[in-house]
Amino acid sequence: MSTIGKSPEYSSFRSSVSQKKASNRSHSPSSRPSALIEAAVTTSSIHSQIVVDGSSDKAWTIYDAGPRTVRCPVFCLAPASGTADIFFKQIISLSSLGYRIIAADFPPLWSHGDWCESFRRLLDHLHLDKVHIFGASLGGFLGQKFAEFTFRSPRVHSLFLCNAFVDTNVFQQRMASNVFWALPGFMLKRMILSNLPSYEVDSDIADSIDFLVEKLEGLDRSELASRLTLNCMEGYIEPHKLKEMPVTIMDVFDDSALTTTVKEELYKCYPDAKRAHLKSGGNFPYICRSAEVNMHLQIHLRQFDNTKYSSKDPEAEIQVQPVASGHRSFSDRTESAATGFHYPTAEDAAAAFS
């Protein structure tokens, strides 16, 4: 097991969620009992499998944390190699501050249109008119496609893009995308692993890579084939349909799977987007640089405070009392030890934004 996979913070997160499988007709996340994430953070987190396409093998898996009164939550979409729980540091941190945050794994789907239609049904099932999407890599591309898919009747209020792209032509496997469904699992895993760095990186980035490889091992062949197909099949974003949408683009200055050219194409599509640059973080900064990422995400969301599109319930913010002077909460200590950063609070985000 990876270092992060056996960490107290991740173990607490996994032990505090409830799991159930429900049909589209009977499941209502708001009716489920709350579960605790650590004694000091009394926000609820529910791990559910939701069928929205009429087939039990097409279930979305979600983690839904924070006040259910929020109707425009943050929705996290993972990269091709990850699962919903890779956002556990965002779920723990932001939900403790009163934000509602959802992370989702999608079922095997084979076209961008099918994915967008399935995601729309999921939002309908959760009774969410709009969401703020935090998308990483493939998750960022699919988030943009969904915003484009629903631009006439918008379901996405803002985008927070991490190591995202706007055109699948950048991937070498594009020509083979129509045969991924027939390839054995070990070949699909090898294709994903080939994009990870083989050279020496700092310990935090190495731990994040090990954690994602561990998550990759838990995906079955159809899930891998579907994700690679969506990642590599022909598709591009039409930015003129998203020109009025608030966008923040976050990327890293060190090496990642995306080239500088790919990043520049993303900047060109959103010339008015806010930019959040991290000195380092590799492919998965939301794991190894989570304190910085969480701060930038709070800055992005702050512009919607006190509106109907706020992802935060000010009445639900949890004031975590320190155990003693000079001590911080459990998640605060864990993340600070891992990153060397002071754990950001809502006040930190406000100061950085102003």
Side-chain angles (χ1 to χ4, degrees):
M1 182 177 287
S2 65
T3 300
I4 295 175
K6 60 186 179 183
S7 67
E9 188 177 20
Y10 182 70
S11 298
S12 174
F13 168 76
R14 290 309 304 263
S15 65
S16 65
V17 298
S18 59
Q19 182 176 7
K20 75 182 290 286
K21 189 170 184 177
S23 69
N24 191 28
R25 292 186 299 274
S26 63
H27 179 70
S28 174
S30 61
S31 67
R32 300 302 300 164
S34 297
L36 297 182
I37 298 183
E38 190 60 26
V41 183
T42 57
T43 183
S44 62
S45 179
I46 298 175
H47 178 205
S48 306
Q49 288 187 309
I50 302 174
V51 179
V52 297
D53 294 313
S55 174
S56 60
D57 62 347
K58 290 188 176 182
W60 286 76
T61 301
I62 70 168
Y63 293 88
D64 187 352
R68 301 301 186 272
T69 54
V70 172
R71 309 314 301 168
C72 189
V74 181
F75 217 108
C76 301
L77 300 173
S81 57
T83 53
D85 56 348
I86 65 172
F87 295 107
F88 75 97
K89 292 191 176 185
Q90 284 69 50
I91 292 172
I92 291 177
S93 174
L94 270 70
S95 63
S96 72
L97 296 172
Y99 292 91
R100 184 178 181 186
I101 181 166
I102 302 173
D105 285 326
F106 56 88
L109 297 163
W110 305 98
S111 74
H112 299 142
D114 287 347
W115 188 93
C116 290
E117 179 59 29
S118 184
F119 188 54
R120 183 189 64 78
R121 292 178 183 176
L122 176 65
L123 296 187
D124 290 345
H125 176 74
L126 296 173
H127 307 293
L128 300 175
D129 293 329
K130 277 191 169 186
V131 293
H132 303 280
I133 289 183
F134 174 10
S137 192
L138 172 62
F141 179 76
L142 293 175
Q144 294 172 85
K145 289 301 289 184
F146 182 70
E148 176 188 296
F149 180 76
T150 60
F151 85 102
R152 295 189 185 278
S153 181
R155 303 296 297 272
V156 179
H157 194 65
S158 76
L159 292 167
F160 188 89
L161 305 174
C162 174
N163 289 341
F165 52 91
V166 294
D167 194 333
T168 60
N169 281 330
V170 300
F171 296 104
Q172 298 177 352
Q173 301 94 340
R174 182 175 61 86
M175 299 302 294
S177 62
N178 60 342
V179 299
F180 287 156
W181 64 271
L183 296 180
F186 77 90
M187 289 188 65
L188 298 172
K189 290 177 182 178
R190 184 180 299 172
M191 292 172 64
I192 293 177
L193 293 173
S194 66
N195 291 313
L196 299 178
S198 56
Y199 49 85
E200 185 175 353
V201 294
D202 75 48
S203 59
D204 292 335
I205 295 177
D207 287 343
S208 72
I209 293 172
D210 290 344
F211 184 57
L212 263 290
V213 171
E214 184 178 273
K215 298 290 106 180
L216 181 65
E217 292 297 324
L219 296 174
D220 63 32
R221 192 190 66 81
S222 62
E223 290 175 312
L224 287 169
S226 166
R227 290 168 181 230
L228 282 171
T229 298
L230 295 175
N231 198 88
C232 298
M233 70 186 306
E234 185 173 356
Y236 58 89
I237 303 301
E238 299 178 63
H240 64 278
K241 295 181 178 180
L242 310 179
K243 61 182 179 180
E244 302 298 329
M245 182 169 297
V247 178
T248 294
I249 299 172
M250 184 178 67
D251 56 22
V252 297
F253 284 139
D254 61 351
D255 290 336
S256 68
L258 300 181
T259 65
T260 301
T261 301
V262 174
K263 296 177 182 179
E264 289 175 350
E265 286 299 315
L266 182 64
Y267 299 152
K268 289 178 183 178
C269 284
Y270 304 105
D272 298 324
K274 297 178 181 178
R275 299 188 187 180
H277 297 295
L278 304 183
K279 183 177 180 181
S280 63
N283 292 305
F284 317 115
Y286 36 87
I287 299 174
C288 60
R289 301 291 185 267
S290 58
E292 295 173 81
V293 172
N294 293 348
M295 184 183 69
H296 285 301
L297 184 53
Q298 288 180 63
I299 292 171
H300 171 78
L301 295 172
R302 184 177 183 269
Q303 61 189 301
F304 311 112
D305 283 356
N306 302 314
T307 72
K308 65 179 180 179
Y309 300 117
S310 175
S311 58
K312 180 179 182 180
D313 182 354
E315 301 300 324
E317 182 168 348
I318 297 167
Q319 300 297 328
V320 180
Q321 298 297 325
V323 177
S325 178
H327 290 77
R328 297 186 296 275
S329 67
F330 169 81
S331 58
D332 191 31
R333 294 195 305 272
T334 304
E335 207 156 14
S336 295
T339 64
F341 274 82
H342 169 69
Y343 194 77
T345 64
E347 289 72 21
D348 293 331
F353 188 82
S354 59

